[in-house]
Amino acid sequence: MPQTARASPPEPPILLRENVGSIAVLTLNRPAARNSLSEGLIAALHAALIEVRDDNSVRAVVIAANGPAFSAGHDMKELTARRSDPDRGRAYFAEIMNACSAMMQAVVLLPKPVVAAVQGIATAAGCQLVASCDLAVASEAASFATPGVDIGLFCSTPMVALSRNVPRKQAMEMLLTGEPVPAEEARAIGLVNRVVPAGTEREAAIALAQKVALKSAYTVKLGKEAFYRQAEMSLADAYRYAAAVMTENMMARDAEEGIGAFIEKREPKWQDR
């Protein structure tokens, strides 16, 4: 009798999602490819962020990764395969860079806090993803680099997020040398918030996200948006804008409740409005 061909096992999803209480944990799941940001993974992460944005049960997000690397950046094999296109890949390269930039901006624009949990190396666009998150917890075994200069491809898009997180001299040293920065140094220059023992970074990131999740979601949304908007303004414009935001915030129900609870020495009861 002829043997029937065995069906290949389905490929595991490249992005995993689980909810830990009110925290959505999004896990990069291309460990064999060092969680490089392929076209598919960029799209999956962007879609998940949009889904989370509209899910009122989620109050914060953790971005983690499986395997030894957090993310090695763009998928160079995928990009190189398009060199045979009639335009030598120019249109595809532009499409990928713009898609990745839109996904990074979706992290910043998400009205909920996003915490990176970094267990290993985060290089190039992987480092960019960490820098794009609002908060970051790193394993003591983690390291960070923008090594594009080593292969003739300056990390120009990672530079945008990196230069908005760390001082200029440190950012330029990372960009011009490509040398890895260990976790403790990354904390010292402001790229990550906390360094924890290896293997505990995911739990520590979830715990940090849970602290923020206890606050008024309305207040966190208002504050996160204001933080990034004022950072691009002149000092005078930033103060005018922030004063308007504070005025709007004072009129919110949760501000009235929170101030009342503070005066009355009790726990506030948020309604997220």
Side-chain angles (χ1 to χ4, degrees), residues 50-72:
I50 292 171
E51 187 178 284
V52 163
R53 180 194 65 194
D54 299 328
D55 186 344
N56 291 333
S57 70
V58 173
R59 301 179 75 86
V61 177
V62 167
I63 297 179
N66 282 335
F70 177 78
S71 175

Side-chain angles (χ1 to χ4, degrees), residues 92-109:
Y92 183 72
F93 301 155
E95 179 185 336
I96 288 294
M97 297 307 161
N98 286 321
C100 189
S101 297
M103 182 271 288
M104 299 291 179
Q105 291 178 77
V107 174
V108 175
L109 295 173

Side-chain angles (χ1 to χ4, degrees), residues 1-192:
M1 292 179 64
Q3 292 184 341
T4 56
R6 290 183 178 180
S8 300
E11 289 291 321
I14 57 178
L15 183 73
L16 306 175
R17 175 179 170 179
E18 64 173 315
N19 288 351
V20 180
S22 62
I23 312 302
V25 181
L26 306 177
T27 304
L28 311 182
N29 192 39
R30 300 187 73 216
R34 296 164 73 84
N35 293 312
S36 56
L37 297 176
S38 63
E39 180 180 1
L41 185 51
I42 291 168
L45 189 51
H46 198 165
L49 290 167
I50 292 171
E51 187 178 284
V52 163
R53 180 194 65 194
D54 299 328
D55 186 344
N56 291 333
S57 70
V58 173
R59 301 179 75 86
V61 177
V62 167
I63 297 179
N66 282 335
F70 177 78
S71 175
H74 285 289
D75 189 325
M76 290 301 163
K77 291 182 179 178
E78 184 179 75
L79 293 175
T80 299
R82 301 302 289 263
R83 291 283 189 191
S84 59
D85 290 359
D87 64 352
R88 296 182 53 243
R90 177 182 289 274
Y92 183 72
F93 301 155
E95 179 185 336
I96 288 294
M97 297 307 161
N98 286 321
C100 189
S101 297
M103 182 271 288
M104 299 291 179
Q105 291 178 77
V107 174
V108 175
L109 295 173
L110 190 75
K112 302 170 185 185
V114 183
V115 185
V118 188
Q119 86 286 16
I121 63 161
T123 59
C127 184
Q128 179 185 2
L129 180 56
V130 176
S132 297
C133 292
D134 306 304
L135 303 168
V137 175
S139 157
E140 58 193 7
S143 63
F144 305 83
T146 47
V149 68
D150 293 336
I151 59 170
L153 183 66
F154 198 83
C155 283
S156 298
T157 43
M159 172 185 69
V160 175
L162 183 67
S163 64
R164 282 163 167 75
N165 274 248
V166 307
R168 288 189 178 190
K169 291 292 191 292
Q170 281 83 0
M172 283 299 285
E173 183 173 348
M174 290 181 68
L175 292 160
L176 291 172
T177 68
E179 292 181 354
V181 171
E184 280 294 351
E185 186 179 342
R187 186 194 61 77
I189 64 175
L191 183 55
V192 303

